[in-house]
Amino acid sequence: MTPQELRAFCLDFDGAAEEFPFGPEISVFKVLGKLFALGALDAEPLTVNLKCDPEIALRLREEHEEIVPGWHMNKRHWNTVTVDGKLPDRMVRELIEDSYDLVVAGLPKAERLRLDRA
């Protein structure tokens, strides 16, 4: 997955937007103002921080050396995923989608309903 593909995939979700609160080099992807992915898209290797269920996060870290506790994040709820071709693109897309879904699930019901209508 290229940085451009990662950006396009993140922005394809309902209510998703890209912001740069930490400077122009860090892309922050949010849904209705809540963070679901962030990373330096021009970094080598490409990495992205993604929210994850804590139990699943531990299992993923044990099974894949490309998945580690979230850098500069709550390590219980966030993973840093290296996107260098070792993990299948399908898995990376699933991890991004899971992160988005977790964040949406935590939104107030009225905001979730707004997304459903978008």
Side-chain angles (χ1 to χ4, degrees), residues 75-94:
K75 293 171 183 7
R76 177 169 156 76
H77 295 276
W78 290 84
N79 284 331
T80 297
V81 178
T82 300
V83 184
D84 61 1
K86 293 179 185 169
L87 291 176
D89 285 355
R90 182 175 141 260
M91 181 178 186
V92 174
R93 285 191 297 272
E94 288 172 359

Side-chain angles (χ1 to χ4, degrees), residues 1 9 13 88-98:
M1 177 177 282
F9 187 76
F13 293 106
D89 285 355
R90 182 175 141 260
M91 181 178 186
V92 174
R93 285 191 297 272
E94 288 172 359
L95 293 170
I96 294 169
E97 186 173 0
D98 289 348

Side-chain angles (χ1 to χ4, degrees), residues 21-36:
F22 306 117
E25 65 280 350
I26 305 293
S27 292
V28 177
F29 298 95
K30 295 181 176 183
V31 54
L32 299 181
K34 300 292 185 181
L35 170 71
F36 72 91

